[in-house]
Coordinates of all heavy atoms in Angstrom, one line a residue:
T123 N 207.6 -0.2 -152.9 CA 207.8 -1.2 -154.0 C 209.2 -1.0 -154.7 O 209.4 -1.8 -155.6 CB 206.7 -1.1 -155.1 OG1 206.8 0.2 -155.7 CG2 205.3 -1.3 -154.5
R124 N 210.0 -0.1 -154.2 CA 211.2 0.2 -154.8 C 212.1 -0.9 -155.1 O 212.8 -1.1 -156.2 CB 212.0 1.2 -154.0 CG 213.2 2.0 -154.7 CD 213.8 3.0 -153.8 NE 212.9 4.0 -153.3 CZ 212.4 4.9 -153.9 NH1 212.8 5.2 -155.2 NH2 211.5 5.8 -153.3
G125 N 212.2 -2.0 -154.2 CA 213.1 -3.0 -154.5 C 212.6 -4.2 -155.2 O 213.2 -5.2 -155.4
N126 N 211.3 -4.0 -155.7 CA 210.7 -5.2 -156.4 C 211.3 -5.3 -157.8 O 211.8 -4.3 -158.5 CB 209.2 -5.0 -156.5 CG 208.5 -5.1 -155.2 OD1 209.1 -5.7 -154.3 ND2 207.3 -4.6 -155.1
T127 N 211.3 -6.5 -158.4 CA 212.0 -6.8 -159.6 C 211.1 -7.3 -160.7 O 211.6 -7.8 -161.7 CB 213.1 -7.8 -159.3 OG1 212.6 -9.0 -158.8 CG2 214.2 -7.3 -158.3
G128 N 209.8 -7.3 -160.5 CA 208.9 -7.7 -161.5 C 208.6 -6.5 -162.6 O 209.4 -5.7 -162.8
V129 N 207.4 -6.5 -163.0 CA 207.0 -5.4 -163.9 C 207.2 -4.1 -163.3 O 206.9 -3.9 -162.1 CB 205.6 -5.6 -164.3 CG1 205.0 -4.4 -165.2 CG2 205.3 -7.0 -165.1
T130 N 207.7 -3.2 -164.0 CA 207.8 -1.7 -163.4 C 206.6 -1.0 -164.0 O 206.4 -0.8 -165.2 CB 209.0 -1.0 -163.9 OG1 210.2 -1.7 -163.3 CG2 209.0 0.4 -163.4
L131 N 205.7 -0.6 -163.0 CA 204.4 0.1 -163.4 C 204.7 1.6 -163.3 O 204.9 2.1 -162.2 CB 203.3 -0.3 -162.5 CG 201.9 0.5 -162.7 CD1 201.4 0.3 -164.1 CD2 200.9 0.0 -161.7
V132 N 204.7 2.2 -164.4 CA 205.1 3.7 -164.4 C 203.6 4.4 -164.5 O 203.0 4.3 -165.5 CB 206.0 4.1 -165.6 CG1 206.3 5.6 -165.5 CG2 207.2 3.3 -165.5
I133 N 203.4 5.2 -163.6 CA 202.2 6.0 -163.6 C 202.4 7.4 -163.9 O 203.1 8.1 -163.1 CB 201.5 5.9 -162.2 CG1 201.1 4.4 -161.9 CG2 200.1 6.7 -162.2 CD1 200.5 4.2 -160.4
A134 N 201.9 7.9 -165.0 CA 202.1 9.3 -165.5 C 200.9 10.1 -164.8 O 199.8 9.9 -165.3 CB 202.0 9.3 -167.0
F135 N 201.2 10.8 -163.8 CA 200.1 11.5 -163.0 C 200.5 13.0 -163.0 O 201.6 13.3 -162.5 CB 200.1 10.9 -161.6 CG 198.9 11.5 -160.9 CD1 197.6 10.9 -161.0 CD2 199.1 12.5 -160.0 CE1 196.5 11.5 -160.4 CE2 198.0 13.1 -159.3 CZ 196.7 12.6 -159.4
N136 N 199.6 13.8 -163.2 CA 199.8 15.3 -163.4 C 201.0 15.5 -164.3 O 202.0 16.2 -164.1 CB 200.2 16.0 -162.1 CG 200.1 17.5 -162.2 OD1 199.4 18.0 -163.0 ND2 200.8 18.2 -161.3
Y137 N 200.9 14.7 -165.4 CA 202.1 14.6 -166.4 C 201.6 15.3 -167.7 O 200.5 15.2 -168.3 CB 202.4 13.2 -166.7 CG 203.4 13.1 -167.8 CD1 204.8 13.1 -167.5 CD2 203.1 12.9 -169.1 CE1 205.8 12.9 -168.5 CE2 204.0 12.7 -170.1 CZ 205.3 12.8 -169.8 OH 206.3 12.7 -170.8
G138 N 202.6 16.1 -168.3 CA 202.5 16.6 -169.6 C 203.9 16.7 -170.1 O 204.9 17.2 -169.5
S139 N 204.1 16.2 -171.3 CA 205.4 16.1 -171.9 C 206.0 17.4 -172.1 O 207.3 17.6 -171.8 CB 205.4 15.4 -173.2 OG 206.7 14.9 -173.6
R140 N 205.3 18.5 -172.5 CA 205.9 19.7 -172.7 C 206.5 20.3 -171.3 O 207.6 20.9 -171.3 CB 205.0 20.7 -173.3 CG 204.8 20.4 -174.8 CD 203.8 21.4 -175.5 NE 203.7 21.2 -176.9 CZ 203.0 21.9 -177.7 NH1 202.3 23.0 -177.2 NH2 203.0 21.7 -179.0
N141 N 205.6 20.1 -170.3 CA 206.1 20.6 -169.0 C 207.3 19.8 -168.5 O 208.2 20.4 -168.0 CB 205.0 20.4 -168.0 CG 205.3 20.6 -166.6 OD1 205.7 19.7 -165.8 ND2 205.3 22.0 -166.1
E142 N 207.4 18.5 -168.8 CA 208.5 17.7 -168.5 C 209.7 18.2 -169.2 O 210.9 18.3 -168.5 CB 208.2 16.3 -168.9 CG 209.4 15.3 -168.8 CD 209.2 13.9 -169.5 OE1 208.5 13.9 -170.5 OE2 209.8 13.0 -169.0
L143 N 209.7 18.5 -170.5 CA 210.8 19.1 -171.1 C 211.2 20.5 -170.7 O 212.5 20.8 -170.5 CB 210.5 19.2 -172.7 CG 210.4 17.7 -173.3 CD1 209.9 17.9 -174.7 CD2 211.6 17.0 -173.2
V144 N 210.3 21.3 -170.3 CA 210.6 22.6 -169.7 C 211.3 22.4 -168.3 O 212.4 23.0 -168.0 CB 209.3 23.4 -169.4 CG1 209.7 24.6 -168.5 CG2 208.7 23.9 -170.7
R145 N 210.8 21.5 -167.5 CA 211.5 21.2 -166.2 C 212.9 20.6 -166.5 O 213.9 20.9 -165.7 CB 210.7 20.2 -165.4 CG 209.4 20.8 -164.8 CD 208.7 19.9 -163.9 NE 207.9 18.9 -164.5 CZ 208.2 17.6 -164.5 NH1 209.3 17.2 -163.9 NH2 207.5 16.8 -165.2
A146 N 213.1 19.7 -167.5 CA 214.4 19.2 -167.7 C 215.3 20.2 -168.2 O 216.5 20.2 -167.8 CB 214.2 18.0 -168.8
T147 N 214.8 21.1 -169.0 CA 215.6 22.2 -169.4 C 216.2 23.1 -168.3 O 217.3 23.5 -168.3 CB 214.9 23.1 -170.5 OG1 214.5 22.2 -171.5 CG2 215.8 24.2 -171.0
R148 N 215.3 23.4 -167.4 CA 215.7 24.2 -166.2 C 216.8 23.5 -165.4 O 217.8 24.1 -164.9 CB 214.4 24.4 -165.3 CG 213.5 25.5 -165.9 CD 212.2 25.5 -165.0 NE 211.3 26.6 -165.6 CZ 210.0 26.6 -165.2 NH1 209.6 25.7 -164.3 NH2 209.2 27.5 -165.7
L149 N 216.6 22.1 -165.2 CA 217.6 21.4 -164.5 C 219.0 21.5 -165.2 O 220.1 21.6 -164.5 CB 217.2 19.9 -164.3 CG 215.9 19.7 -163.4 CD1 215.6 18.2 -163.5 CD2 216.3 20.1 -161.9
I150 N 218.9 21.3 -166.5 CA 220.2 21.3 -167.3 C 220.8 22.8 -167.1 O 222.0 22.9 -166.9 CB 219.9 21.1 -168.8 CG1 219.5 19.6 -169.0 CG2 221.1 21.4 -169.7 CD1 219.1 19.2 -170.4
A151 N 220.0 23.8 -167.2 CA 220.6 25.2 -167.1 C 221.2 25.4 -165.7 O 222.2 26.0 -165.6 CB 219.5 26.2 -167.3
E152 N 220.5 24.8 -164.7 CA 221.1 25.0 -163.3 C 222.4 24.1 -163.2 O 223.3 24.7 -162.6 CB 220.0 24.4 -162.3 CG 218.8 25.3 -162.2 CD 217.7 24.7 -161.4 OE1 217.9 23.5 -160.9 OE2 216.6 25.3 -161.2
A153 N 222.5 23.0 -163.9 CA 223.7 22.2 -163.7 C 224.8 22.9 -164.5 O 226.0 22.9 -164.0 CB 223.5 20.8 -164.4
V154 N 224.6 23.6 -165.7 CA 225.5 24.4 -166.4 C 226.0 25.6 -165.6 O 227.1 25.8 -165.4 CB 225.0 24.8 -167.8 CG1 225.9 25.9 -168.4 CG2 224.8 23.6 -168.7
Q155 N 225.1 26.3 -164.9 CA 225.3 27.4 -164.2 C 226.2 27.1 -163.0 O 227.1 27.9 -162.5 CB 224.0 28.1 -163.7 CG 224.2 29.5 -163.0 CD 222.9 30.1 -162.7 OE1 222.0 29.4 -162.2 NE2 222.8 31.4 -162.9
A156 N 226.0 25.9 -162.4 CA 226.7 25.5 -161.2 C 228.1 24.9 -161.6 O 228.8 24.4 -160.7 CB 225.9 24.5 -160.4
G157 N 228.4 24.8 -162.9 CA 229.6 24.3 -163.3 C 229.7 22.8 -163.3 O 230.7 22.1 -163.4
Q158 N 228.5 22.1 -163.2 CA 228.4 20.7 -163.2 C 228.3 20.0 -164.5 O 228.5 18.8 -164.7 CB 227.3 20.2 -162.3 CG 227.4 20.8 -160.9 CD 226.1 20.6 -160.0 OE1 225.0 20.3 -160.6 NE2 226.2 20.7 -158.7

Side-chain angles (χ1 to χ4, degrees):
T123 64
R124 194 178 306 279
N126 292 344
T127 58
V129 176
T130 295
L131 174 61
V132 184
I133 300 174
F135 187 83
N136 195 26
Y137 174 86
S139 192
R140 289 183 173 181
N141 174 266
E142 173 191 30
L143 293 174
V144 168
R145 289 186 284 109
T147 302
R148 287 174 180 163
L149 291 173
I150 291 172
E152 291 169 1
V154 169
Q155 189 175 41
Q158 300 168 346

